[in-house]
Amino acid sequence: MLKNIKYPAFKASINCSFRLMSSVPLTKNQKKIESSPLTDTFGRHHTYLRISLTERCNLRCQYCMPEEGVSLTDKSNLLTTDEILQIAGVFVKQGVTKIRLTGGEPTVRKDLVDIVGNLKKISGLEIVAMTTNGLTLTRQLVALQKAGLDILNISLDTLNAQKYEKITRRNGWKRALAGIDLALQLGYDPVKINCVLMKGLNDEELLDFVELTRDKNLDVRFIEYMPFSGNKWNKDKMVSYKEMVNKIKEAHRDFYPLKSIPNDTSKAWKVPGYKGQVGFITSMTEHFCGSCNRLRVTADGNLKVCLFGNTEISLRDAIRSNCSEEDLISLVGAAVQRKKKQHAGMLNLSQLENRPMILIDVLSSPDIFNVKDQSFKLTPSISAGLNFSYLFSVSGNTHITKRYYSTKPILSHVDVQGFGRCKGDVLSIAQISGILGAKKTSEIIPLCHNISLTKVNVTAALDVDNETVNIFSEIQCEGRTGVEMEALTAVSVAALTIYDMCKAVSKDITITDICLLSKSGGKSGDYEKEEIKLRDYDLRPITRLTPYVGSM
Ligand SMILES: Nc1nc2c(ncn2[C@@H]2O[C@H](COP(=O)(O)OP(=O)(O)OP(=O)(O)O)[C@@H](O)[C@H]2O)c(=O)[nH]1
Ligand SMILES: C[S@@+](CC[C@H](N)C(=O)[O-])C[C@H]1O[C@@H](n2cnc3c(N)ncnc32)[C@H](O)[C@@H]1O
Ligand code: SF4
Ligand code: SF4
């Protein structure tokens, strides 16, 4: 009998949950999740991808974008339909099951129906959702539903036409309401309504919004007002979760919380007997970062691992450089590994410069770095690897300052004009260029053969304590030939890229100590560099590097 009892059940039956946790062997699926590039260092597996389709919008909501608007990215730098689908496909293969289309206003993108239809063809993708202001739904929703749109969130901050105009700086209230009605008629279940509540603007409408849930299958979600550059956030304008609940309880004594759904941004509540429900998105007063499962891709193709984080890597540039799928996944994995545990906290966030929300979901702004008034010296160091590994070090002094919306950026290649508008942190860009460098070795070093590489790993990490950037590459190929030239090229190109991106700040940067650390295979046999004290340096692979932005 005992033989047939599954291990976890047996352990559970002796009521020893601690041991159960530590001794139950991981299932295949758990192992897959643990080793997935989409699982971060805190064990959060990311299955939800938000893709921003556009930077454009037909509204100008006060809390979302500055009154003067935002400058738009050149069309050639936005993701094309094919690129969006390619990126989506890669993420789904790695475990993403839900994609939300957002923006800007996603419905202003002409190929929206096509995108939804093609996303639905990706095997493994379970849900295609969209967040919209609803203005054009009466025109588009039937086709979108036919194409397969599963879930719809509609933003509406007021039930008053004049106030709508004040909040959104545009007309459209009636059209938004008509869009909500149509969504209900078409059977979206529930239709989620996003309402950003702000003191002195629409907070008096709290109970009116709750009343909407009486007869309609709506999930009205009140969002705590979040700070972004240009939206004049002020703690006093924010209505907190607690305040909202207390106020609703005054009118509905039985207002009660529903069971929480894993990974949900929203805390669900209900007035007994009402058809719909109420939710609270408490990003400011009770963050939900612990169960975060979301990643974002901006309209211009940057991966942003956290809404409030500033590190980005350009998937667009990687794709346009014919990066292989494997390399793309490595880049994504490296970025996910750098994701922080949680956002910086309400008051800190309000001090930080951050993009307007419209540019967070789309991120078109010219700024790149979250390197704020940091001085750091770059001095010699080393890194090492398993197979073919090379080290590189940089020395000098530099001072990098963060600039948002600067017309005269401090760092070259990361501005509107520079580097094909390449955006992303320096280290990630160096990583991409190193990978590309390895692959192009035969084109630049005379008599080097074009070798088919099976693994190209390049890591670039800022060692703040030693004021150094360490670059490391690990290359493998199948066959008899050595690939040290490829690894040396990778490190050299990555180093030059960093130099190039930082030279506007300081020219006093030295690249040193590029050398082979170890090698196996090839005609000349194995090699290990002895005199280098590897333990003096941080040799952790990129997947174990501590996030560097926070320490800058
Ligand atoms: N802190 C945090 N808040 C987020 C994130 N994504 C969305 N939100 C908040 O949730 C609000 C509504 O976002 P939606 O676009 O409707 O997406 P959603 O809440 O993920 O939608 P569901 O899939 O229905 O859960 C946004 O305005 C943000 O306030 C995130 O990654 N982090
Ligand atoms: C940026 S919009 C993009 C999608 C679409 N244009 C819309 O408005 O639904 C996504 C969501 O972000 C919310 N949002 C924008 N700025 C915000 C802020 N400062 N605080 C909280 N939520 C915000 C909007 O209310 C909307 O529900
Ligand atoms: S919240 Fe949505 S509708 Fe309003 S300005 Fe931002 S992107 Fe446009
Ligand atoms: S703030 Fe960042 S970590 Fe927290 S829930 Fe949002 S995206 Fe996730």
Side-chain angles (χ1 to χ4, degrees):
M1 279 295 286
L2 272 181
K3 259 201 273 175
N4 294 330
I5 294 178
K6 292 258 184 302
Y7 194 42
F10 177 64
K11 283 285 184 182
S13 71
I14 58 169
N15 192 23
C16 184
S17 57
F18 177 72
R19 284 208 184 142
L20 176 69
M21 296 287 289
S22 58
S23 57
V24 173
L26 291 179
T27 63
K28 245 189 188 172
N29 200 29
Q30 283 168 324
K31 275 189 194 152
K32 205 170 144 197
I33 287 174
E34 265 203 355
S35 61
S36 163
L38 300 191
T39 301
D40 69 12
T41 50
F42 306 100
R44 296 174 297 196
H45 184 50
H46 296 82
T47 54
Y48 176 2
L49 180 68
R50 299 173 67 95
I51 302 181
S52 177
L53 292 186
T54 178
E55 301 169 345
R56 288 181 298 132
C57 187
N58 38 15
L59 296 181
R60 294 284 181 277
C61 302
Q62 284 188 27
Y63 52 75
C64 175
M65 72 160 106
E67 192 160 7
E68 62 276 16
V70 291
S71 55
L72 297 176
T73 300
D74 191 89
K75 198 169 171 225
S76 63
N77 287 321
L78 297 176
L79 291 180
T80 63
T81 316
D82 286 346
E83 287 169 341
I84 289 170
L85 296 171
Q86 186 184 345
I87 289 173
V90 169
F91 276 87
V92 172
K93 267 198 215 160
Q94 296 310 312
V96 160
T97 53
K98 170 174 168 181
I99 289 183
R100 176 171 294 282
L101 302 175
T102 177
E105 175 47 39
T107 57
V108 305
R109 184 147 173 159
K110 294 207 165 62
D111 52 358
L112 176 63
V113 175
D114 250 14
I115 291 174
V116 171
N118 283 307
L119 285 176
K120 286 302 289 183
K121 289 182 194 153
I122 300 177
S123 151
L125 181 59
E126 292 163 15
I127 296 172
V128 176
M130 180 173 78
T131 304
T132 170
N133 60 30
L135 290 198
T136 66
L137 286 181
T138 47
R139 252 193 305 117
Q140 303 201 54
L141 192 53
V142 171
L144 284 168
Q145 190 178 43
K146 226 169 156 185
L149 184 70
D150 299 295
I151 293 182
L152 192 57
N153 297 3
I154 305 176
S155 303
L156 182 75
D157 304 302
T158 176
L159 301 172
N160 173 301
Q162 279 81 44
K163 213 180 272 179
Y164 187 88
E165 209 175 309
K166 186 172 174 196
I167 294 173
T168 66
R169 305 185 181 112
R170 295 285 186 277
N171 293 319
W173 180 72
K174 277 194 182 150
R175 279 186 285 149
L177 288 190
I180 293 170
D181 275 345
L182 180 62
L184 286 167
Q185 280 169 37
L186 291 177
Y188 280 97
D189 176 19
V191 174
K192 293 188 185 177
I193 304 295
N194 287 342
C195 174
V196 180
L197 220 59
M198 291 169 71
K199 272 193 192 135
L201 195 60
N202 57 350
D203 57 331
E204 289 303 316
E205 297 189 53
L206 177 73
L207 293 175
D208 299 338
F209 270 101
V210 172
E211 220 36 41
L212 282 184
T213 67
R214 180 192 285 268
D215 302 315
K216 292 186 169 135
N217 191 14
L218 293 175
D219 179 358
V220 172
R221 305 183 315 160
F222 297 107
I223 305 177
E224 286 179 343
Y225 176 34
M226 303 186 291
F228 299 108
S229 291
N231 77 352
K232 300 185 180 141
W233 187 88
N234 171 335
K235 191 164 133 309
D236 299 333
K237 284 193 204 163
M238 192 195 79
V239 190
S240 72
Y241 169 43
K242 282 211 171 103
E243 284 174 78
M244 292 189 258
V245 167
N246 288 341
K247 199 162 172 199
I248 297 171
K249 275 187 171 169
E250 280 171 21
H252 302 280
R253 281 214 329 247
D254 304 334
F255 189 52
Y256 68 102
L258 297 169
K259 215 174 146 215
S260 62
I261 298 171
N263 306 119
D264 210 344
T265 47
S266 167
K267 295 175 177 59
W269 287 65
K270 197 173 170 71
V271 177
Y274 279 24
K275 197 167 178 187
Q277 66 180 52
V278 173
F280 301 92
I281 299 183
T282 61
S283 311
M284 293 292 99
T285 61
E286 284 186 25
H287 72 74
F288 32 84
C289 304
S291 61
C292 181
N293 66 342
R294 52 196 64 212
L295 299 170
R296 321 176 121 69
V297 174
T298 63
D300 52 354
N302 272 14
L303 173 68
K304 189 172 169 70
V305 293
C306 176
L307 173 62
F308 290 110
N310 285 278
T311 32
E312 300 117 29
I313 56 167
S314 176
L315 302 181
R316 177 203 64 204
D317 288 353
I319 287 177
R320 291 185 187 176
S321 315
N322 292 324
C323 176
S324 69
E325 185 167 323
E326 196 196 5
D327 293 340
L328 198 63
I329 293 166
S330 306
L331 281 175
V332 169
V336 169
Q337 294 302 308
R338 292 190 204 130
K339 180 160 172 163
K340 290 186 196 167
K341 190 174 176 193
Q342 59 198 49
H343 69 57
M346 178 167 69
L347 293 176
N348 290 332
L349 286 179
S350 66
Q351 303 301 313
L352 288 175
E353 287 193 69
N354 200 354
R355 298 166 178 85
M357 184 64 169
I358 189 165
L359 291 180
I360 282 186
D361 265 348
V362 300
L363 209 79
S364 71
S365 63
D367 57 319
I368 305 301
F369 284 87
N370 183 31
V371 184
K372 198 170 184 181
D373 290 336
Q374 283 291 327
S375 297
F376 56 90
K377 270 194 233 148
L378 299 169
T379 49
S381 76
I382 182 175
S383 62
L386 296 174
N387 295 306
F388 297 119
S389 323
Y390 299 87
L391 68 89
F392 137 85
S393 70
V394 195
S395 67
N397 288 308
T398 187
H399 181 89
I400 301 178
T401 309
K402 181 184 182 186
R403 281 275 175 103
Y404 282 95
Y405 304 108
S406 169
T407 48
K408 193 164 176 280
I410 282 186
L411 290 162
S412 50
H413 295 174
V414 289
D415 61 307
V416 202
Q417 282 83 34
F419 207 40
R421 287 203 40 142
C422 174
K423 292 175 204 160
D425 60 83
V426 171
L427 302 185
S428 294
I429 298 296
Q431 213 183 338
I432 301 175
S433 67
I435 291 169
L436 295 175
K439 293 185 170 178
K440 300 256 178 215
T441 304
S442 65
E443 291 174 33
I444 47 181
I445 311 279
L447 304 183
C448 266
H449 293 295
N450 185 5
I451 296 167
S452 171
L453 306 175
T454 52
K455 179 174 186 179
V456 182
N457 228 345
V458 179
T459 65
L462 182 65
D463 177 350
V464 180
D465 294 339
N466 291 308
E467 299 165 327
T468 303
V469 175
N470 300 315
I471 301 180
F472 155 86
S473 98
E474 182 191 352
I475 308 246
Q476 286 175 355
C477 75
E478 268 170 24
R480 293 166 148 260
T481 181
V483 282
E484 52 262 68
M485 285 317 298
E486 282 70 14
L488 282 165
T489 308
V491 169
S492 306
V493 171
L496 289 171
T497 303
I498 293 180
Y499 185 97
D500 196 25
M501 294 174 88
C502 298
K503 66 180 190 267
V505 186
S506 169
K507 303 236 175 349
D508 189 15
I509 297 172
T510 312
I511 297 171
T512 63
D513 299 335
I514 296 178
C515 68
L516 174 64
L517 294 182
S518 66
K519 148 178 186 173
S520 58
K523 269 190 208 149
S524 58
D526 296 355
Y527 170 82
E528 190 103 28
K529 193 168 177 66
E530 276 173 16
E531 66 269 31
I532 291 170
K533 289 187 209 139
L534 300 183
R535 67 191 140 76
D536 287 351
Y537 302 93
D538 186 351
L539 302 178
R540 291 171 296 174
I542 193 86
T543 51
R544 291 285 166 259
L545 289 172
T546 43
Y548 64 89
V549 167
S551 46
M552 278 185 174

